[in-house]
Amino acid sequence: MQIPEIKPNQSIELLKALHILTRDGKLNQDSRRKLKQVYHLVNFIEPLFNEVLAKNPNPTMVDHGAGKSYLGFILYDLLLKQHAAGQVVGIETRAELVEKSRQLAEELHFERMGFQHLSVEESITSNTLPDTVDIVTALHACNTATDDAIQFGLKKKAKYMVLVPCCQAEVAEVLRQHKNESFGKTPLSEIWRHPIHTREFGSQITNVLRCLQLEAAGYQLTVTELVGWEHSMKNELIIAKYTGQPRKNAQERLEAILKELNLEALKSRFLS
């Protein structure tokens, strides 16, 4: 019997393997929320995929910081498996997760899914990946893993990047380290004087800096919610489309913010 929430062409075996469905094919409340979130993200990605497919019948989608490749499997199942060509590649630094994903893809006969045990630096230069890719995704890529995905996308000339950042601690840590110095430099330091504000503002400014970095590199951005706040606090969705036309003042504003907020130690991460 078809469960109403599940799309008609969805692999039931995949949903069981990802623990969205129970072994007997049931969907509990927690899984229903999880499935809703994934489908919501796929709804954002599908029109981008179709636009790419119209120009390139053999597209490459790369899921960076893939973890258990949850997103990659769903994208392959819903968007790619019915087409004759194209591939989804998951990149992950934990070897055991890469091996489990390979085994699952083999069991499901998802022949055009690949998994690479690579660091971001290795993924940029590896000859196992094409010189250019079409779509780069990073779902809840923790801390600097989102920045790694951005660097990969820039180097591989990705047409689209779809990013849901998570656990952004690096900027907050630099704010914390230079807090006393910043007090004498700018009254804006009041924004991150208290530890809870340091964490929250650090997370917010991280994504602002990422957006400016992408705009300086010629991407047009849409920044929105992934799902309602009742589902997740890690909720910001950044969709970047390459146009080749940099926002003219993005680089200058990025540099000015780094200087004003005493974050110049992070220049190498945000200035491409």
Short mmCIF file of all heavy atoms in Angstrom, two decimals, residues 37 79-80 115 148 175 229:
data_model
loop_
_atom_site.label_atom_id
_atom_site.label_comp_id
_atom_site.label_asym_id
_atom_site.label_seq_id
_atom_site.Cartn_x
_atom_site.Cartn_y
_atom_site.Cartn_z
N GLN A 37 11.31 17.29 5.47
CA GLN A 37 12.46 18.18 5.32
C GLN A 37 13.27 17.83 4.07
O GLN A 37 13.66 18.71 3.30
CB GLN A 37 13.35 18.09 6.56
CG GLN A 37 14.54 19.05 6.51
CD GLN A 37 15.34 19.03 7.79
OE1 GLN A 37 15.03 18.31 8.72
NE2 GLN A 37 16.38 19.84 7.85
N LEU A 79 15.57 12.14 -8.70
CA LEU A 79 15.88 13.00 -9.85
C LEU A 79 16.66 12.31 -10.95
O LEU A 79 16.49 12.65 -12.13
CB LEU A 79 16.66 14.24 -9.38
CG LEU A 79 15.99 15.15 -8.36
CD1 LEU A 79 16.87 16.37 -8.09
CD2 LEU A 79 14.60 15.59 -8.82
N LEU A 80 17.54 11.37 -10.61
CA LEU A 80 18.51 10.92 -11.60
C LEU A 80 18.27 9.52 -12.15
O LEU A 80 18.60 9.25 -13.31
CB LEU A 80 19.92 10.98 -10.98
CG LEU A 80 21.07 11.11 -11.97
CD1 LEU A 80 21.02 12.46 -12.67
CD2 LEU A 80 22.41 10.96 -11.25
N PHE A 115 31.22 7.20 -4.40
CA PHE A 115 31.57 7.72 -3.08
C PHE A 115 33.08 7.80 -2.98
O PHE A 115 33.79 6.84 -3.30
CB PHE A 115 30.99 6.83 -1.98
CG PHE A 115 29.50 6.65 -2.12
CD1 PHE A 115 28.99 5.57 -2.81
CD2 PHE A 115 28.63 7.60 -1.60
CE1 PHE A 115 27.62 5.41 -2.97
CE2 PHE A 115 27.26 7.46 -1.76
CZ PHE A 115 26.76 6.37 -2.44
N ASP A 148 34.44 24.36 3.01
CA ASP A 148 35.13 23.42 2.13
C ASP A 148 34.30 23.15 0.87
O ASP A 148 34.83 23.09 -0.24
CB ASP A 148 35.36 22.09 2.87
CG ASP A 148 36.35 22.23 4.01
OD1 ASP A 148 37.10 23.22 4.03
OD2 ASP A 148 36.36 21.35 4.89
N LEU A 175 36.15 35.68 17.21
CA LEU A 175 35.56 36.82 17.93
C LEU A 175 35.91 36.76 19.41
O LEU A 175 36.25 37.76 20.04
CB LEU A 175 34.03 36.81 17.76
CG LEU A 175 33.46 37.18 16.39
CD1 LEU A 175 31.96 36.89 16.36
CD2 LEU A 175 33.72 38.64 16.05
N TRP A 229 10.70 26.68 11.61
CA TRP A 229 11.56 26.62 12.78
C TRP A 229 11.19 25.47 13.73
O TRP A 229 12.00 25.06 14.55
CB TRP A 229 11.49 27.94 13.55
CG TRP A 229 12.20 29.04 12.85
CD1 TRP A 229 11.66 30.09 12.19
CD2 TRP A 229 13.63 29.20 12.71
NE1 TRP A 229 12.64 30.90 11.65
CE2 TRP A 229 13.85 30.36 11.97
CE3 TRP A 229 14.72 28.46 13.16
CZ2 TRP A 229 15.13 30.81 11.64
CZ3 TRP A 229 15.98 28.90 12.84
CH2 TRP A 229 16.18 30.06 12.09
#
